[in-house]
């Protein structure tokens, strides 16, 4: 079955430094890939999604490139802010018509001022 | 205005008791989902639905039932609650666009089973 593996947290960074959260996936097809973000006390919300291989998604300064060859979708940001503190989930869409998402275990990001 | 709402937001239950978690969506989405979130496990799918009257088993359905009486409402039912079901539960709705479909989450329900 489908699976997603991402950087184990928590990840603690200082404000202004760069971020990479690794995401690797296993699936038989070529799914849409997603990054979700969850702020404290809230449900997850979509950060961005990329439906096609070799394309890049971005939002709020975060970006990720769908790398089909490496089966990766790493989340990056050049300069993090304290407000980026949250849990980040990588996910892949179901390719067998079930309209399901498979989520990674999530990476907690803590940004210190 | 919030499109996916959950009630209650917090619940304390006793072992062996019945618990019903409710979810309402105003997105007019066909699909709805129930997840639980636990440290070290992330989000795990319990049950989902393609529309009124339908329920499907997710990855961890044991100990849970689901009910979809209408387009807007989707309930998760714990007939005999156990301490291992202590968790945060999220409901979501989504379009039926296949693998491109984004899901929209509610604010969660924190359930404690004593």
């Amino acid at each position: 079955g489908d699976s997603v593996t991402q950087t184990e947290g928590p990840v603690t960074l200082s404000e202004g430094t760069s971020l990479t959260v690794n995401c690797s996936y296993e699936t038989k097809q070529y799914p849409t890939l997603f990054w979700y973000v969850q702020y404290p006390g809230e449900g997850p919300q979509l950060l961005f999604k990329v439906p096609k291989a070799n394309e890049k998604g971005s939002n709020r300064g975060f970006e990720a490139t769908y790398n089909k060859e490496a089966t990766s979708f790493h989340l990056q940001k050049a300069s993090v802010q304290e407000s980026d503190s949250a849990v980040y989930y990588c996910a892949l869409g179901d390719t067998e018509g079930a309209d399901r998402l498979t989520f990674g275990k999530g990476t907690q990001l803590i940004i210190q001022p | 205005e919030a499109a996916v709402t959950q009630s209650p937001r917090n619940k304390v239950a006793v072992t062996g008791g019945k618990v019903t978690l409710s979810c309402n969506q105003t997105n007019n989405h066909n699909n709805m989902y129930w997840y639980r979130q636990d440290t070290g496990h992330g989000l795990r799918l319990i049950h989902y639905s393609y529309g009124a009257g339908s329920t499907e088993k997710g990855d961890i359905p044991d100990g849970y039932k689901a009910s979809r009486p209408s387009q807007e409402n989707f309930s998760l039912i714990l007939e005999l609650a156990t301490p291992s079901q202590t968790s945060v539960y999220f409901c979501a709705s989504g379009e039926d666009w296949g693998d491109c479909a984004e899901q929209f989450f509610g604010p969660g329900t924190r359930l404690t089973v004593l």
Side-chain angles (χ1 to χ4, degrees):
Chain A
D2 297 345
S3 68
V4 176
T5 303
Q6 59 182 105
T7 300
E8 187 172 336
V11 173
T12 303
L13 297 173
S14 297
E15 206 167 26
T17 59
S18 64
L19 166 73
T20 297
V21 178
N22 291 330
C23 173
S24 299
Y25 63 91
E26 291 187 19
T27 183
K28 295 180 181 178
Q29 305 277 349
Y30 303 112
T32 295
L33 299 178
F34 301 76
W35 275 105
Y36 277 79
V37 59
Q38 182 182 20
Y39 299 104
E42 300 181 8
Q45 57 184 272
L46 182 69
L47 189 55
F48 57 83
K49 65 180 181 182
V50 179
K52 293 183 180 180
N54 303 319
E55 293 190 350
K56 180 187 289 187
S58 64
N59 189 15
R60 306 182 201 173
F62 292 90
E63 61 181 31
T65 299
Y66 188 154
N67 188 326
K68 183 182 69 174
E69 288 72 29
T71 61
S72 68
F73 191 53
H74 304 321
L75 182 69
Q76 296 180 312
K77 188 174 187 183
S79 177
V80 295
Q81 302 172 340
E82 194 173 356
S83 58
D84 294 328
S85 297
V87 178
Y88 292 82
Y89 287 97
C90 183
L92 61 85
D94 185 275
T95 56
E96 298 181 356
D99 296 339
R100 295 176 41 161
L101 294 175
T102 298
F103 286 89
K105 293 183 179 181
T107 302
Q108 184 182 9
L109 177 63
I110 301 169
I111 307 299
Q112 296 177 334
Chain B
E1 186 175 338
V4 180
T5 56
Q6 296 182 230
S7 63
R9 293 294 313 278
N10 290 280
K11 173 75 175 178
V12 178
V14 296
T15 297
K18 182 177 181 178
V19 176
T20 300
L21 307 183
S22 299
C23 178
N24 177 274
Q25 58 109 353
T26 57
N27 294 320
N28 198 31
H29 290 155
N30 287 333
N31 298 344
M32 295 186 74
Y33 307 83
W34 276 106
Y35 296 88
R36 62 178 285 175
Q37 183 180 51
D38 303 285
T39 302
H41 291 280
L43 291 163
R44 293 182 289 174
L45 182 64
I46 305 170
H47 284 289
Y48 59 107
S49 168
Y50 292 124
S54 97
T55 60
E56 305 288 336
K57 293 181 178 179
D59 297 321
I60 53 165
D62 293 346
Y64 302 93
K65 292 183 180 180
S67 174
R68 183 86 181 272
S70 65
Q71 177 84 340
E72 298 78 19
N73 296 294
F74 190 38
S75 297
L76 185 68
I77 303 154
L78 291 66
E79 295 278 3
L80 294 170
T82 69
S84 65
Q85 294 175 313
T86 293
S87 186
V88 180
Y89 292 85
F90 287 96
C91 175
S93 72
E95 299 118 335
D96 50 355
W97 291 354
D99 79 313
C100 290
E102 174 186 354
Q103 292 181 15
F104 297 81
F105 286 80
T109 294
R110 183 174 296 276
L111 174 64
T112 302
V113 182
L114 302 176

